[in-house]
Amino acid sequence: MSGEADGSVVVSEDGGRRRRVHGMLKLYYGMNEEGKAEEQPESLDPCDINGPHFDPEVFLNKLRRECSLAELMDQETCMVKQIRSLDSDMQTLVYENYNKFISATDTIRKMKNDFKKMEDEMDCLSANMAAITEFSARISGTLQDQHAQITKLSGVHTLLRKLQFLFELPARLNKCLELQAYAQAVRSHRRARCVLQQYSHLPSFKGIQDDCHAIMDKLAQELRQKFRDGGSSAKDLSECVELLLQLDEPAEELCDKFLSHARSRLVSDLQGLEAEIRPYPSASTVKDASAHRLPSTAAAGSPTDASPKTSATPSPSSNTDILEFIDRGCNEFVSSLCLVITSYQELFINHAQTGELASKNIPQMANGKLHAFVDDLAAQYFSLVERRIQEEKGVADNSLLVRALDRFHRRLQAVAKLLPGSAVPNQGTEIVIRAATERVKQYLSALQSFYMDSLTDVRQALATPRLSVAGASVAGGGALLGGPTSRDAPSSLPELLSSLSASILNQIKSVLASVHLFTAKDITFSNKPYFKGEFCSQGVRESLVVSFIKFVCQSSRQFCESAGDKGGSTPPALLLLLSRLCLDYETSTISYILTLTDEQFLVQHHSPVTPVTTLCAEAREAAQKLLNHYVKVQGLIISQMLRKSVETRDWVNTIEPRNVRAVMKRVVEDTTSIDVQVGLLYEEGVRKAHSSDSSKRTFSVYSSSRQQARYAASYTPSAPMDTNLLSNIHKLFSERIDIFSSVEFNKVSVMTGIIKISLKTFLECVRLRTFGRYGLQQIQVDCHYLQMYLWRFVSDENLVHFLLDEIVGSSAHRCLDPAPMEQSVIEVICERG
Amino acid sequence: MEDDAPVIYGLEFQARALTAQTAETDAIRFLVGTQSLKFDNQIHIIDFDDENNIINKNVLLHQAGEIWHIGASPADKAVLTTCYNKTSDSRVVSCAAIWRMPSDWETGSHESPDDSAHNPQTLELLCHLDDSAHSNAACVLWEPMGDGKRVISLADNHALLWDLQESSTQATVSSTATLEGKGQLKFTSGKWSPHHNCSQLATANDTAIRGWDLRTMSQIYCIENAHGQLVRDLDFNPNRQYYLSSCGDDCKVKFWDVRNVQEPVKTLEEHSHWVWSVRYNHSHDQLVLTASSDSRLILSNMVSISSEPFGHLVDDEELSEGEDNHQEDKGKEPLKDSVVSTYEEHEDSVYAAEWSSADPWLFASLSYDGRLVINRVPRALKYRILL
């Protein structure tokens, strides 16, 4: 570049012509003005010797003006030097260019010669080509006719082959039929079918078509037959169906056939199951399961029929246990159902979806049919299972049932997987739930009957040692005089109580354990929300445990109500025992049982449940009622003795008293034995303080002061008002006595209640009678005797005094000849008795 | 609205027999018969002056014996029956008789009230209700609302229907009914039904209640084991012909529909001892009075089984009276069966209670110690029933 730039400087020095040459060269070398664009600002300077606008005049003037002589000299030498070197450079360049031009001329001359030769060869080639074209045209012209003929012939050949195929088709089909190569037959026929269809207007084709149709019909017939026979394997069957589908057999019909075929097999399974349920299989078919349910439930209902019992225990012959039954149901029915579903889906749904059949809405139709089919059969199966479960009445072994249900439930999951939209698994779960609730109910009734049975046992236990109890009570009567002799005989009462409550508790525990199986981890249905929540809280806690406790209270109350008339048949000891039982329940057992339940079942109370306090209140109420009733019954027994003794005697014409009447001794004896009985179960209770010889002390008060005054008053005719006055004044200071009132849970209160009732009856009976002198005296003696023994039983001895006081007072009033007996004589008589 | 205090009257003797003077509809008057073995027994005629709250008494002598039951004729104010015990030769015999009060007992008492106690007049015997075959009368029942010509006496196990002739001076047995069964059966009490043209009788023996048709003298119904123990008394609902109340030694008061005797319609268990008497109010049959040997008298309001279970039907006029009523209406919610009041004025067993025949809001009760207490239905309840 710098060389060129130097060159250009030289050229420009030599004037305008050179400058033009310079420009052309520049053009030649591809250098445009832009290449020097950066130098342009300098080149505008006319003093720049290398610039394009260099003006020698200006430059010289400038030099002359600016430079000294020496500098001009220097400038001139430098300039001369530069001019010389430039000249030599230019000579070299010219030389080189000249050489190049010479060689270029040589080359062009050589090329001229070569081209000439080439032109000649090209002419020769074109002449050849023209000859070839001519030949070719001539050949094709000669061959054209034959070629057309060949094409036609080959077309005819194919057609003929097709025709041959067609004509041979019937025979071939027949042969296939003979060989049972149904698939090949169908394939062949499919190939020919449309052709035959198209040319069916020609008689010969028509004939073939008819033949084919006949054969294919036969084939279809055979296929159908095979299909119908059902002996074939599932694979054969599916092949059948596939072929039939290809034969344009209506899919719907096929579905129906397939299903009905499957149905017959499944129904026979069901029949087998049914036969196991019914110990006496009848000739009638199982088609209508509901028709059979009637007699079977009737059979289950009647206790005489053996079937429910045999089903409970593993039976020898026809009735298998439930696990076996379910097992069989699963293995036979459910698994073949699954098989049917799979092959059906394979055939009609999956397969059809790929083929041209999909367009005909076959999958939907087929699916619908399958659902209906499965639902129908499952319903039959379920009804059988339910019947079987219903027969499962024995509560002995729950694990069997749970395992059976578990298997049942588990196997249905397979169906659920195969048939996603089906309601079958849900129905199955519902059956399990129903079975579970039914089971809980059965346990409840089992508990209830166990409770009632235990009560009967207790009743018997109370009745059988009756003799010994009676003996003890007699001895107890004597014990008052002699000392405690035998207390052992009736001590069975607390034992009975503890054994009763223990056995009930055990029973509850075992029932809870049995029911707990339903929620065990390894059971498939235990993680259903029902078994997690509602079953625990509503099922087990409420309808089993709470219901049972309520039942206990309820049945206890019933003892009070049914026994209301005529004293009832319930032995009083049982009332007492139950009362204590209920009280124990109130204090501890209920909360224990419920805590146990809650712990075992991890009950999460979503819905409101009965709180412990309500149950406790109920139990307490029952206990109270029972105890009140006990007091009433015992009071009544003693009352009846007293009443009979007062009513049946002729008190006007009686002899002078020598003894305490036997009935009074009996009253004291009975009271004593009641006291012992109550003492076995209830605590002593509080009583008002009294001295050790209360009977003596109070008796003297009773006879001497107030009572005497009262007698005196009433016997003096001058002052009839005084009687009332005195007795009224006396009553003003004594509290009103409620005879049949609620008692507390202790012995003293119970005894007080009984004695109150007895003595009040005595009083009322005395008031209805008229007494002679000795009648009054007898009453005096009797009352003194009662006084001696009864005070010790009651909480407030003044109560006994008051009532006896009233009795003697009333009999004095009702006396025709009131002459009271000497106190000392009375005492002697009483002590002698 | 404070209720008037009860009025108490004391007799000198013990007493069990009480009745309202049925034929008297103007004055509030009760008859009480005493029981005394030593002295002459008396019949106290007790007049209650409602306005002044004062009791006037007159005494008539009943020398035949101690009175166990007393009944006033529904037609003649002066005629009454008693059942009494006569003692002679160490023997006690129960008898029944019809008596007439002397015509001037009232005037006599007015002239010299002080003397009446000392020189009482004597009852005039009209006739005995005994014949040789039947004795031991437990009670005598007048035909309700009758003309005073027919009575029934219950003696042992016989019910005797008597026709009275010639101003009740002659009585003849027109028909009898006999209770048969094993053991010694004995009627304890009875009631003549005011319904069915007075053709029915109900009796109690032991724990059973029996109904009798008086035309044929045959049993028409029987409530076995009506009470757990002895049945003490009966009463018919005056407005509902099939309703009957009973009480007994099981401390209960039961209400029966005699068309269905399997179960009582209602049972009350308010008393704490035997209930001796039960009485429907004559006009307002929801009010039931019971007397018991627990010394209490209980007034119950048995609306649900009364003839007006929904209360008095209010007329439109009364409704439109204004806002005063409106406030009352709020308090007038349907009444429930309830104990209205328990009266504890007695100190001894109360054996009898009766409503007044003149004032439906007033009743008397008698306890064994001879205390007669006159009480009124609480005003609040009275207005509730009336308005």
Side-chain angles (χ1 to χ4, degrees), chain B residues 306-361:
Chain B
S306 75
S307 57
E308 285 183 350
F310 305 110
H312 184 65
L313 293 174
V314 182
D315 293 336
D316 291 339
E317 274 180 69
E318 289 178 62
L319 268 181
S320 62
E321 263 177 38
E323 287 184 17
D324 289 342
N325 264 5
H326 195 66
Q327 270 192 323
E328 267 180 60
D329 280 344
K330 277 187 183 170
K332 258 177 81 173
E333 276 153 30
L335 293 165
K336 287 183 185 129
D337 293 351
S338 60
V339 170
V340 176
S341 183
T342 304
Y343 300 94
E344 311 212 354
E345 281 85 22
H346 293 285
E347 306 285 353
D348 206 332
S349 304
V350 188
Y351 293 130
E354 285 288 349
W355 292 94
S356 163
S357 55
D359 183 349
W361 307 107

Side-chain angles (χ1 to χ4, degrees), chain A residues 64-82:
Chain A
R64 268 190 306 250
R65 245 183 327 196
E66 287 173 6
C67 300
S68 59
L69 190 63
E71 276 174 344
L72 280 172
M73 293 296 286
D74 286 347
Q75 189 80 24
E76 200 218 347
T77 46
C78 176
M79 197 82 83
V80 170
K81 228 160 74 190
Q82 277 180 352

